[in-house]
Amino acid sequence: MYVTNHLRGRSAVVARLSAICGAPQPSGPSASATRRMRAGAPAAGEPVPTSGSAGTQRPDSLMAASGRQAAGGVEEAAEEPRILEPGAAPFGNFPHYSRFHPPEQRLRLLPPELLRRLFPPSSSETRPILGLDVGCNSGDLSVALYKHFLSLRDGETCSDASRELHLLCCDIDPVLVERAEKECPFPDALTFITLDFMNQRTRKVLLNSFLSQFGRSVFDIGFCMSVTMWIHLNHGDHGLWEFLAHLSSLCRYLLVEPQPWKCYRAAARRLRKLGLHDFDHFRSLAIRGDMANQIVQILTQDHGMELVCCFGNTSWDRSLLLFRAKQTTETHPIPELLTEEGKERNRLRFWRQ
Ligand SMILES: C[S@@+](CC[C@H](N)C(=O)[O-])C[C@H]1O[C@@H](n2cnc3c(N)ncnc32)[C@H](O)[C@@H]1O
């Protein structure tokens, strides 16, 4: 049903996105995902993340093993022949992801004043901005986003304590999370947790526990950078749809960097080259093709969000799409400039002002 709805009206979204951007430019891992991980892991008998069960087994060793085995590399490896042959990283849990997809590529497209514009300080409101970074890997992008939005230079700490930004950063891979925690220069502002975002029960407990410290029920902004493909490959169309549903219900704004379809093919090819099982869902995915538009379609038609703007494309042809929830439990005035259709088209001029 969701697939049918989502495929219907696709052309309208293509047209809309083109107008705005100029050019459109498990249940946990199932048995075979587990086999894939085991094949990539030197140690046997390791726990597997499961979805929908309380106390999800932490995929520590599996993830760690996957990470250890990977010499480095990303899903684009096939498009980037100079990159070392990557190992099995079935969730995109590459140990040195930021070396291949550096944060700077994304940051240069994002106006540093973005959060200040979205959440202008008011005299009556000094509450911090709360962000959720899903699939944070080892935290390089999370830290870079934090510094970027607070305009901090290297070594500088936050001077404006009244407008704090707090990021909850989660990843399915505990080894990456541990590294992120160790290396984070802003431990008071960035919290790293191991979480399989597809595990409903754990997600609810951990996210609510964070939000409740601030007396809040939703995040101001969610970051979902280069994660959608891994959810899609491991959980199928329905998993992707659910993932986006959860994110949109949890965040007032959502910044998404979808992987294009060619990355799916590269990821599947890489597994085959390693002699591992294909992703369970790769061949049966009905949501395919122009993934940026597909995700726009799902979020806007099914999950009550609207596309605010597209910040352009990275050198890897990934667009950065900003969405806004039309309704959230916590309301906040939306800056007028961001909602006017005509000004959306002129977004670059607007952001450069
Ligand atoms: C390709 S990396 C992207 C890292 C970072 N967001 C960036 O853009 O630099 C994808 C990350 O998503 C994580 N991931 C995949 N599935 C996940 C899930 N179900 N829950 C939480 N994290 C997940 C992986 O472990 C991996 O670190």
Side-chain angles (χ1 to χ4, degrees), residues 332-346:
H332 196 286
I334 302 306
E336 243 181 51
L337 280 169
L338 282 179
T339 57
E340 290 175 32
E341 197 78 17
K343 288 185 180 162
E344 272 182 5
R345 268 185 228 111
N346 291 328

Side-chain angles (χ1 to χ4, degrees), residues 26 63 74-75 90-94 97-98 101-103 106 133-138 140-142 170-173 176 195-199 223-227 230-231 234-235 243 257 259 318:
M63 297 303 180
V74 292
E75 66 269 35
F91 301 104
N93 48 320
F94 299 102
Y97 185 73
S98 62
H101 196 185
R106 281 75 72 76
D133 184 13
V134 178
C136 63
N137 201 262
S138 50
D140 294 340
L141 181 63
S142 325
C170 65
D171 201 282
I172 195 172
D173 185 332
L176 292 173
L195 168 67
D196 174 358
F197 198 78
M198 298 304 279
N199 182 319
F223 301 98
C224 176
M225 315 289 275
S226 292
V227 176
W230 299 107
I231 300 293
N234 286 302
H235 299 270
F243 173 73
E257 179 191 40
Q259 287 106 326
R318 295 186 184 182

Side-chain angles (χ1 to χ4, degrees), residues 213-290:
Q213 293 172 41
F214 298 91
R216 311 271 281 275
S217 58
V218 291
F219 290 88
D220 293 304
I221 185 159
F223 301 98
C224 176
M225 315 289 275
S226 292
V227 176
T228 49
M229 174 180 81
W230 299 107
I231 300 293
H232 201 185
L233 284 172
N234 286 302
H235 299 270
D237 288 335
H238 189 65
L240 176 66
W241 192 89
E242 274 191 347
F243 173 73
L244 296 172
H246 300 316
L247 271 182
S248 56
S249 68
L250 279 166
C251 305
R252 294 161 55 197
Y253 283 88
L254 188 55
L255 187 68
V256 187
E257 179 191 40
Q259 287 106 326
W261 186 253
K262 66 180 174 192
C263 295
Y264 286 61
R265 288 200 303 263
R269 218 168 23 236
R270 191 179 59 248
L271 278 196
R272 280 197 297 276
K273 270 174 80 178
L274 290 167
L276 305 177
H277 282 270
D278 214 345
F279 289 99
D280 294 329
H281 300 278
F282 177 58
R283 289 176 196 286
S284 61
L285 296 179
I287 301 174
R288 54 172 59 219
D290 185 339

Side-chain angles (χ1 to χ4, degrees), residues 98-216:
S98 62
R99 288 190 197 162
F100 303 100
H101 196 185
E104 296 69 38
Q105 279 194 9
R106 281 75 72 76
L107 297 184
R108 71 183 169 73
L109 297 173
L110 296 172
E113 68 277 16
L114 177 66
L115 297 191
R116 287 190 287 272
R117 296 241 181 165
L118 295 180
F119 313 109
S122 74
S123 51
S124 62
E125 193 181 25
T126 53
R127 63 185 200 163
I129 297 169
L130 299 187
L132 172 68
D133 184 13
V134 178
C136 63
N137 201 262
S138 50
D140 294 340
L141 181 63
S142 325
V143 169
L145 285 167
Y146 181 79
K147 287 168 70 176
H148 185 68
F149 290 133
L150 292 185
S151 303
L152 299 177
R153 287 192 212 94
D154 284 341
E156 206 180 347
T157 52
C158 180
S159 52
D160 185 2
S162 63
R163 289 299 298 165
E164 282 171 292
L165 168 63
H166 288 269
L167 297 181
L168 178 64
C169 313
C170 65
D171 201 282
I172 195 172
D173 185 332
V175 173
L176 292 173
V177 169
E178 199 184 327
R179 186 185 311 156
E181 257 178 334
K182 263 193 202 139
E183 294 176 3
C184 179
F186 307 105
D188 294 339
L190 277 71
T191 306
F192 291 94
I193 56 168
T194 300
L195 168 67
D196 174 358
F197 198 78
M198 298 304 279
N199 182 319
Q200 194 177 344
R201 197 126 37 119
T202 318
R203 183 183 64 230
K204 203 170 165 196
V205 170
L206 294 180
L207 300 191
N208 282 349
S209 140
F210 177 85
L211 286 166
S212 63
Q213 293 172 41
F214 298 91
R216 311 271 281 275

